[in-house]
Amino acid sequence: MRLAELSRRSGVSTATIKYYLRERLLPPGHQINATTAEYDEEHLRRLRLVRAMIQVGRVPVAKVREVLGHVDDDSLGRTIRLGAAMWALPQVPEPDEDDEFVQAAEQEVITLLDRLGWENTKRLTTISSAYRSLVVAMAALRRIGYDWEAELLEPYAELMHRAAVLDLNLLETQPSEAERIEFAVLGAILIEPVLQALHRLAQEEETTRRYGFE
Amino acid sequence: MRLAELSRRSGVSTATIKYYLRERLLPPGHQINATTAEYDEEHLRRLRLVRAMIQVGRVPVAKVREVLGHVDDDSLGRTIRLGAAMWALPQVPEPDEDDEFVQAAEQEVITLLDRLGWENTKRLTTISSAYRSLVVAMAALRRIGYDWEAELLEPYAELMHRAAVLDLNLLETQPSEAERIEFAVLGAILIEPVLQALHRLAQEEETTRRYGFE
């Protein structure tokens, strides 16, 4: 298809597509002659991914390029590619290891992983941004006086594990490996706001069931 | 206790406490004489809530005052107070009702609520910010070509309902009604980052279980 059709089918303006091409977020079209290039379904799919990251995820352009580099590097194994793509997304700052609240939170998170039997995750603590996020969130709670124990978090972690099983089942329905990797990136950006909204809606439902409407 | 002790026990500087007092985020102490005021456990608890909103939730001071107004208004019923406190937190922008993606998303969310049997939530759609958030998130997905159906969201919604049951069970362990209302506000600010981190950790665990470490 020509640029005009790519624009029509994607809903992205031709000016924006040209910008993405210049920034190498989209591979060049197949040049037919000096002034005309042809685009295919893969361009359309990549355009959708780029838009999701930039418009919905508000990921900076340089970061998008970095994520796409991991997505496209098929010399890597699947877990590494899935992980590398996620790890390139916006990160929490490194926790301060000298902080007493961080140390206590880390202790509690390790206890949680032991209780859950998440042995694989325990091997990844030094490189996992999810692990760092949890330590930072728990340390923030401790700093204002909420010393939440692993026992309290365990049922939440089990629910989130079921959500992860749904995520990966969904991912495995994607037809090609490239699409599965892309789906993982989209999932991180797009599923999380949906889950958060569902959680709040469920809180409203449960609150009104228990206490009525007043 | 005196201001110095309130500062020591809360970990908040006296300058910041004085600022919160001036901004009426903290009720005045009990004046003993012209220069000395006495503070109690309720001040300490309120200080913790204010810090959580400002430091962790990054809620603006004017909004904090508004939320506290709802928390303290015991003329309202429990559901209204719980809801009002949450509704005063940062909101998604109003969805554009003329947008075709918003209309389609709304249709799908209503179908989801029907499938789930969340009758109470259906009655609240005109005032619920969680409902608006979900419509906005689903419309964003549709805009980039993901027409997720109610059927796909249903198992996620069921998991989030179980999380909401855990939330409210935890809320009900709080000793007084004032503390239960405060806990609801804290929950919205503090539990969500923890759930998000747990979800990502669970994804890592499940990914490595299925595909190994490479």
Side-chain angles (χ1 to χ4, degrees):
Chain A
M1 70 191 98
R2 302 295 163 80
L3 186 66
E5 193 187 341
L6 184 64
S7 168
R8 193 183 51 72
R9 286 186 58 195
S10 64
V12 181
S13 72
T14 55
T16 301
I17 295 175
K18 285 178 182 168
Y19 169 68
Y20 290 167
L21 285 165
R22 277 199 307 279
E23 292 287 332
R24 291 176 293 117
L25 303 183
L26 207 59
H30 314 285
Q31 213 69 34
I32 317 181
N33 59 46
T35 56
T36 317
E38 185 78 18
Y39 302 90
D40 58 23
E41 296 300 317
E42 242 173 85
H43 286 97
L44 193 60
R45 224 178 59 217
R46 178 52 52 100
L47 200 45
R48 191 163 74 169
L49 181 64
V50 169
R51 279 187 83 202
M53 283 197 272
I54 291 177
Q55 290 183 12
V56 185
R58 312 215 171 280
V59 182
V61 165
K63 201 62 139 175
V64 171
R65 203 183 294 117
E66 188 186 335
V67 173
L68 294 175
H70 297 303
V71 167
D72 292 333
D73 187 352
D74 52 19
S75 71
L76 301 169
R78 180 186 275 184
T79 295
I80 298 284
R81 279 172 86 191
L82 288 173
M86 298 259 222
W87 295 333
L89 291 178
Q91 299 302 329
V92 295
E94 206 66 43
D96 174 5
E97 296 293 341
D98 291 333
D99 182 309
E100 59 173 314
F101 297 108
V102 168
Q103 289 166 359
E106 196 143 12
Q107 203 72 46
E108 213 57 49
V109 172
I110 294 291
T111 305
L112 174 69
L113 295 178
D114 282 332
R115 289 179 72 115
L116 291 163
W118 289 7
E119 289 302 324
N120 294 359
T121 303
K122 267 192 78 176
R123 288 175 54 185
L124 297 171
T125 52
T126 50
I127 52 165
S128 163
S129 75
Y131 173 80
R132 281 203 303 278
S133 302
L134 184 58
V135 168
V136 166
M138 296 283 287
L141 282 168
R142 286 185 168 262
R143 197 163 288 122
I144 59 164
Y146 284 89
D147 298 347
W148 284 5
E149 286 173 14
E151 199 181 340
L152 193 146
L153 287 186
E154 199 177 352
Y156 285 104
E158 280 163 357
L159 290 177
M160 290 303 114
H161 186 222
R162 290 191 209 186
V165 168
L166 292 174
D167 296 338
L168 284 177
N169 290 348
L170 210 55
L171 180 136
E172 288 178 357
T173 65
Q174 300 300 307
S176 72
E177 186 67 7
E179 283 162 278
R180 285 190 281 275
I181 307 293
E182 288 183 6
F183 186 84
V185 179
L186 285 172
I189 297 167
L190 302 175
I191 296 179
E192 282 174 3
V194 171
L195 275 186
Q196 189 178 76
L198 284 173
H199 184 212
R200 291 187 180 188
L201 261 188
Q203 287 173 333
E204 285 180 6
E205 178 69 22
E206 187 62 22
T207 304
T208 48
R209 283 189 195 173
R210 293 192 189 195
Y211 316 128
F213 284 91
E214 284 186 5
Chain B
M1 73 190 96
R2 301 295 163 80
L3 186 65
E5 192 186 342
L6 183 64
S7 167
R8 193 183 51 72
R9 285 185 59 193
S10 64
V12 180
S13 72
T14 55
T16 302
I17 295 176
K18 284 178 182 169
Y19 169 68
Y20 290 166
L21 285 165
R22 277 199 307 277
E23 290 289 331
R24 291 175 294 119
L25 304 182
L26 208 58
H30 313 285
Q31 212 69 34
I32 317 181
N33 58 47
T35 56
T36 317
E38 185 79 17
Y39 302 90
D40 57 25
E41 295 301 316
E42 242 173 87
H43 285 97
L44 193 60
R45 227 178 57 220
R46 179 51 51 103
L47 199 46
R48 192 162 74 168
L49 180 65
V50 170
R51 280 185 83 201
M53 284 197 271
I54 291 178
Q55 290 184 10
V56 185
R58 310 215 172 279
V59 181
V61 165
K63 200 62 138 173
V64 171
R65 204 182 294 116
E66 189 186 333
V67 173
L68 294 175
H70 297 303
V71 167
D72 292 335
D73 186 351
D74 52 18
S75 71
L76 301 168
R78 181 187 275 186
T79 294
I80 299 283
R81 282 173 83 190
L82 287 173
M86 300 258 223
W87 295 332
L89 291 177
Q91 299 301 330
V92 296
E94 205 67 41
D96 173 6
E97 296 293 342
D98 291 333
D99 181 310
E100 58 172 316
F101 297 108
V102 168
Q103 288 165 358
E106 197 143 12
Q107 204 71 46
E108 213 55 49
V109 172
I110 294 291
T111 305
L112 175 69
L113 296 179
D114 283 332
R115 288 179 73 112
L116 291 163
W118 290 6
E119 289 304 322
N120 293 1
T121 303
K122 267 191 79 176
R123 288 175 56 184
L124 297 172
T125 54
T126 51
I127 51 165
S128 164
S129 76
Y131 174 80
R132 282 203 304 276
S133 302
L134 185 58
V135 168
V136 166
M138 297 283 287
L141 281 168
R142 288 187 165 259
R143 196 162 290 122
I144 58 164
Y146 285 88
D147 299 346
W148 283 6
E149 285 172 16
E151 200 180 340
L152 194 146
L153 287 186
E154 198 178 350
Y156 285 103
E158 279 163 359
L159 290 177
M160 289 303 114
H161 185 222
R162 290 193 209 185
V165 168
L166 291 175
D167 297 338
L168 284 178
N169 289 348
L170 211 54
L171 181 136
E172 289 178 357
T173 64
Q174 300 300 309
S176 72
E177 186 67 8
E179 281 162 279
R180 285 190 281 275
I181 305 293
E182 287 183 6
F183 187 83
V185 179
L186 285 172
I189 298 167
L190 302 176
I191 296 180
E192 282 174 5
V194 170
L195 273 187
Q196 189 179 73
L198 284 173
H199 184 212
R200 291 187 179 189
L201 261 188
Q203 285 173 332
E204 285 180 4
E205 178 69 22
E206 188 62 20
T207 304
T208 49
R209 282 188 195 174
R210 292 194 189 194
Y211 316 128
F213 284 91
E214 284 189 4

